[in-house]
Amino acid sequence: MQIDAATGAMSPVTGRFSRRLSDLGDAFRDMQACRRAIIDRDDPLVYEVAEFKQAGSDLFFGTTTMQPGKIGDEFFMTRGHFHQRPDMGEVYCTQSGRGLLLLESRDGRSETVEMRRGSCAFIPPDWAHRSINTGSDQLVFTWFCNVLAGNDYASIARRGMRKLVVDRAGKAEVIDNPAWV
Ligand code: S6P
Ligand code: ZN
């Protein structure tokens, strides 16, 4: 299969979904800026996911294509999730663009991994993962996961993540999330 590194387009595809800003709930800390962007910027597309699954296989894979952008000083990001299966990790290989992969363990450890062409990140089992587009182009990565892993969004949606990635004078900075409880 050929994957277009600039766009994430691949073929064949067995499933796809996209997330607009309004799908991300309260993920961004500046809720006013978020509401304004939904109205004034026509609920912008934040990312699209295309996947390939084959019956009988333990593995599936796909591409995530993230748009560049910010809400307030926070860069566009994915919802972020743990896997439902605590024994199943994942691999993210960046194809193009610049970003950060934010990882968080259940016992409160945080790690960030730079995402750029050729970087390959191992996400250990039971670590939450959220990707953040810190660049001015699309961020495209391929991911490889067990079909049984399942996505658990609830813990991240409820509490957020301990770290935020914000734009400080044109540079991406990882800061403590002041709203994390
Ligand atoms: C699934 C894998 C990715 C994400 C995608 C969107 O295990 O990690 O396909 O689903 O990058 O992120 P999210 O947090 O909205 O599912
Ligand atoms: Zn995942």
Side-chain angles (χ1 to χ4, degrees), residues 1 18-19 21 31 38 40-41 48 50 53 55-56 64 79 101 109 116 133 135-136 140 148 152 154 157 162:
M1 186 184 295
S18 56
R19 297 271 180 254
L21 186 54
M31 277 150 71
I38 290 174
D40 300 346
R41 289 155 60 188
E48 292 166 286
K53 256 185 198 166
T64 299
R79 284 172 77 188
L101 173 62
R109 285 170 290 157
R116 59 187 145 71
N133 186 350
S136 44
V140 179
L148 300 176
D152 159 24
R162 290 167 191 254

Side-chain angles (χ1 to χ4, degrees), residues 45-113:
L45 177 69
V46 182
Y47 54 98
E48 292 166 286
V49 178
E51 68 180 34
F52 178 79
K53 256 185 198 166
Q54 184 172 285
S57 169
D58 57 343
L59 271 181
F60 76 128
F61 72 98
T63 62
T64 299
T65 302
M66 299 188 68
Q67 297 305 312
K70 278 186 298 186
I71 299 300
D73 60 1
E74 262 185 295
F75 293 102
F76 274 11
M77 59 190 172
T78 56
R79 284 172 77 188
H81 58 270
F82 285 93
H83 289 159
Q84 285 164 349
R85 283 280 300 256
D87 56 340
M88 291 184 177
E90 191 165 357
V91 174
Y92 276 16
C93 296
T94 305
Q95 304 295 327
S96 64
R98 299 301 293 243
L100 282 178
L101 173 62
L102 183 58
L103 300 169
E104 188 173 304
S105 67
R106 297 259 182 207
D107 61 2
R109 285 170 290 157
S110 294
E111 297 274 350
T112 48
V113 180

